[in-house]
Amino acid sequence: MPLKPFEAIVIGSGATGGVAAQTLAEAGVRVLVVETGPDLSAQEALGSEPSNSMRRVRGLLSGKHRLQAQHPGYWKHNPLLYADEQRYPYSTPNDQPFLWTQGRQVGGRSLTWGGITLRLSDLEFKAAERDGHGSSWPISHQDLDPHYSALERQFAVHGNRDGLAQLPDGCTTAPLSFTPEEEQLARDLQDSTDIKMIHSRGFSAHQPSAECPWPPSSSPGSSLSAALSTGRVEVLSGHLAERLLMNGDQSRARGVVVIDQRNGERMALEAALVVLCASTIASLRFLLLSEGSAPEGGFQDPSASLGRHLMDHVSTCRFFAVPSRSGRQPLQDQDPTSQLSGAGSFFLPFGSLPPQRDGLLPFSRGYGLWGAINRFDPPWWLKRNPECRLGFLIGHGEVLPSAQNRVTLSESVDRWGVPIPHISCRWGANETAMVAHMHKMMAEAIALGGGEIQPLTNLVKMPLIEPVVSNMEAMKAGAPPPGYYVHELGGAPMGSDENNSVVDAWNRLWRCPNVLVVDGSCWPSSAWQSPTLTMMALTRRACLQVLRPQSA
């Protein structure tokens, strides 16, 4: 297809791709956004019932969503937003499962994002200086603060100013109200000296309308829409970005090679700037294909660390019941804003300062517990005890970077002859100890609130699907395998020295500075907070810097 000349190519159209396109376009840059999947309408993307349930049945029976169905979000969203695993395969060692959730459509995984917006503190950015594990970030909270603030204002996210060292306050609007049962839990925890409960920060649940068909937490409902409104952005959907095109001395990229997903035809696209926003594993595959093995010679990675130190947040979940303080009817029928969402929930934000129990902490770094009560209850007649409300606590903890956890290129190829990613990742002793501590703190908090921990199948009647739900990873006692929490990070870390990092402090490939890597792959450590807001802040910062005349 004929394409007008572009000054920048953005690979990926999700959370970071939308911010990259908006930032560059609003500065006057002509941008092409390349997306592997289709460009769906809001109605096609969100779907409706019972059609979404029928798609789930087909996805499970066909094997297209065998792994992604493990994630609770699969049972909430339109299955069309979860990629066909047979069409986009990957491999793992037999004893190291990895649950990779792929969003192959315009908007990417921003269409299934939970919408929690947490800042990282310097306790996370500089953690390695404290405990010697891995490398610290070459930036601090101060470097990202203006970009955090700009994004929080643009998205009008909800949240309190809580004054916590481990969770910097942002430019938020008023928090959403707690449910009556959450208010009671907050009162019950007030006397605890080291368990603090705060309003979650982020987006409210989306209420589709003709004026606002897309979720504001998605790129089509926010940043990508703003980018397109400039008239300087075009989206090329249905094309997989395969690798970089390099100039003669491999010092700069002159564009990218893309593959038409309809017929496998390859096309070279040229631009002075390439911004990689494809999501961590897809970006690592792209970079590995673009390194020294490219036909005309690839970029150089002096650190030899590309693909290593893959991380995800280690997670575990507990469901519980508390006495209802709001009757039997679903609260959401009376108040749609009470639906579970990024802002419609709460946090126990221990962070890097988790409470000590039974002596010294047996692990490094920290975690938070995200929770909600009475935000996802089924009709009363489906409950085992109609007089109770349902709650959950989910821990997500920082994972120590390990060189053994990595993405490489498999000997197997996809239908276009491109090597698929091989993902090798497992939890270590530190993560196992952290999960045990999470369980102790969950039990303590729930008991203080007068709740009772039970398996979800003991709380809710589930005709027909109970065997499926019982075998889901979220129902198991321990931590689900890596990838489950959909927060994969690392593999192309930023740093201050090309000998131990893949990109510099401005997210530029060390020896190919007109390529920016801004999604989760550039993280040198995982922190414990939900990563999307920080990814977007890094993107905005890197794109503004590359526009400055003095930027090399």
Side-chain angles (χ1 to χ4, degrees):
M1 61 182 293
L3 293 169
K4 57 189 173 185
F6 291 95
E7 297 164 293
I9 295 172
V10 173
I11 301 171
S13 60
T16 56
V19 169
Q22 178 186 357
T23 305
L24 294 170
E26 288 181 347
V29 178
R30 297 188 304 278
V31 181
L32 176 65
V33 177
V34 177
E35 171 56 52
T36 305
D39 191 354
L40 303 173
S41 68
Q43 184 176 2
E44 290 171 326
L46 301 180
S48 60
E49 294 296 348
S51 297
N52 286 354
S53 291
M54 294 299 293
R55 292 188 188 101
R56 288 187 194 99
V57 172
R58 290 195 295 270
L60 291 171
L61 292 177
S62 67
K64 292 180 178 179
H65 297 143
R66 180 177 60 87
L67 297 172
Q68 293 169 105
Q70 292 290 330
H71 194 275
Y74 179 80
W75 300 86
K76 173 184 176 183
H77 299 290
N78 182 358
L80 282 179
L81 302 180
Y82 292 79
D84 182 346
E85 296 164 13
Q86 297 166 344
R87 188 176 178 88
Y88 299 104
Y90 63 99
S91 62
T92 66
N94 292 333
D95 62 342
Q96 296 182 43
F98 191 97
L99 302 178
W100 184 21
T101 295
Q102 303 182 63
R104 302 282 185 169
Q105 62 273 325
V106 173
R109 295 193 314 202
S110 74
L111 289 166
T112 55
W113 176 36
I116 297 174
T117 56
L118 306 180
R119 295 185 177 206
L120 271 61
S121 77
D122 283 338
L123 290 169
E124 288 75 49
F125 285 121
K126 305 302 178 185
E129 297 175 10
R130 207 169 55 245
D131 59 28
H133 291 292
S135 301
S136 286
W137 294 59
I139 60 172
S140 65
H141 176 266
Q142 183 178 357
D143 295 307
L144 283 189
D145 178 60
H147 309 288
Y148 278 139
S149 297
L151 292 164
E152 289 161 341
R153 293 191 191 99
Q154 176 179 338
F155 299 142
V157 296
H158 300 275
N160 255 342
R161 297 184 66 82
D162 300 296
L164 301 175
Q166 72 272 31
L167 191 63
D169 293 326
C171 298
T172 51
T173 62
L176 296 188
S177 299
F178 284 146
T179 65
E181 293 77 14
E182 290 169 347
E183 289 177 353
Q184 182 61 49
L185 177 61
R187 288 192 291 270
D188 292 335
L189 294 177
Q190 279 180 348
D191 293 335
S192 173
T193 58
D194 51 15
I195 304 179
K196 182 176 180 60
M197 177 173 163
I198 67 169
H199 291 268
S200 187
R201 303 174 186 174
F203 292 86
S204 60
H206 177 48
Q207 307 296 327
S209 66
E211 297 76 26
C212 185
W214 292 101
S217 56
S218 70
S219 63
S222 57
S223 55
L224 185 59
S225 175
L228 291 168
S229 71
T230 66
R232 301 186 187 94
V233 176
E234 182 176 325
V235 176
L236 178 63
S237 60
H239 285 72
L240 172 71
E242 181 185 19
R243 59 180 175 83
L244 292 170
L245 277 172
M246 302 297 296
N247 65 4
D249 62 2
Q250 286 80 55
S251 64
R252 295 181 74 83
R254 57 187 178 89
V256 300
V257 175
V258 300
I259 303 174
D260 191 328
Q261 295 298 278
R262 297 167 301 181
N263 53 29
E265 292 184 1
R266 284 168 167 79
M267 176 169 54
L269 303 173
E270 296 197 2
L273 174 68
V274 176
V275 188
L276 188 53
C277 309
S279 83
T280 295
I281 294 170
S283 289
L284 293 178
R285 179 202 197 192
F286 177 89
L287 289 170
L288 288 165
L289 287 165
S290 302
E291 209 185 359
S293 59
E296 71 278 9
F299 75 92
Q300 296 179 2
D301 169 32
S303 71
S305 63
L306 179 62
R308 293 187 180 275
H309 302 102
L310 179 69
M311 300 166 285
D312 184 25
H313 285 143
V314 66
S315 172
T316 188
C317 178
R318 288 292 182 268
F319 293 96
F320 60 93
V322 297
S324 175
R325 303 180 66 82
S326 50
R328 283 187 168 191
Q329 292 302 115
L331 184 63
Q332 288 70 49
D333 291 349
Q334 309 161 41
D335 178 11
T337 66
S338 69
Q339 293 179 46
L340 179 64
S341 65
S345 47
F346 64 83
F347 257 101
L348 307 182
F350 301 128
S352 296
L353 309 169
Q356 291 191 12
R357 296 291 186 268
D358 305 322
L360 296 175
L361 288 173
F363 59 88
S364 298
R365 308 293 169 95
Y367 66 87
L369 299 180
W370 179 53
I373 311 174
N374 191 11
R375 293 186 184 273
F376 63 102
D377 283 34
W380 66 267
W381 46 270
L382 280 176
K383 294 182 182 179
R384 307 286 185 188
N385 182 351
E387 311 307 323
C388 287
R389 294 297 196 184
L390 307 186
F392 71 80
L393 283 175
I394 297 177
H396 48 97
E398 179 164 0
V399 170
L400 296 181
S402 167
Q404 303 306 309
N405 293 334
R406 61 185 302 196
V407 175
T408 55
L409 295 178
S410 171
E411 294 181 358
S412 300
V413 298
D414 64 16
R415 65 194 189 284
W416 308 128
V418 182
I420 66 173
H422 182 74
I423 307 169
S424 178
C425 189
R426 60 162 37 119
W427 302 134
N430 196 73
E431 288 76 52
T432 301
M434 182 182 288
V435 167
H437 193 274
M438 288 179 183
H439 289 160
K440 288 183 181 180
M441 297 312 302
M442 288 175 173
E444 185 174 328
I446 292 168
L448 287 171
E452 181 182 359
I453 296 175
Q454 294 189 45
L456 186 60
T457 49
N458 286 5
L459 298 171
V460 181
K461 304 170 188 174
M462 300 181 181
L464 302 179
I465 66 169
E466 186 167 328
V468 176
V469 173
S470 298
N471 289 319
M472 290 177 63
E473 291 293 343
M475 302 300 117
K476 297 179 181 178
Y484 171 82
Y485 213 66
V486 202
H487 286 174
E488 61 268 13
L489 303 159
M494 61 193 310
S496 55
D497 187 328
E498 68 170 19
N499 293 311
N500 55 28
S501 58
V502 176
V503 299
D504 67 12
W506 297 103
N507 295 86
R508 301 172 296 192
L509 285 174
W510 278 107
R511 298 195 181 180
C512 188
N514 68 327
V515 175
L516 306 181
V517 181
V518 294
D519 58 24
S521 60
C522 73
W523 287 42
S525 64
S526 73
W528 63 270
Q529 296 91 331
S530 301
T532 307
L533 179 66
T534 299
M535 292 180 192
M536 292 191 287
L538 288 167
T539 301
R540 187 177 186 272
R541 175 178 178 268
C543 288
L544 288 175
Q545 173 67 15
V546 83
L547 294 170
R548 294 174 181 162
Q550 70 271 22
S551 178

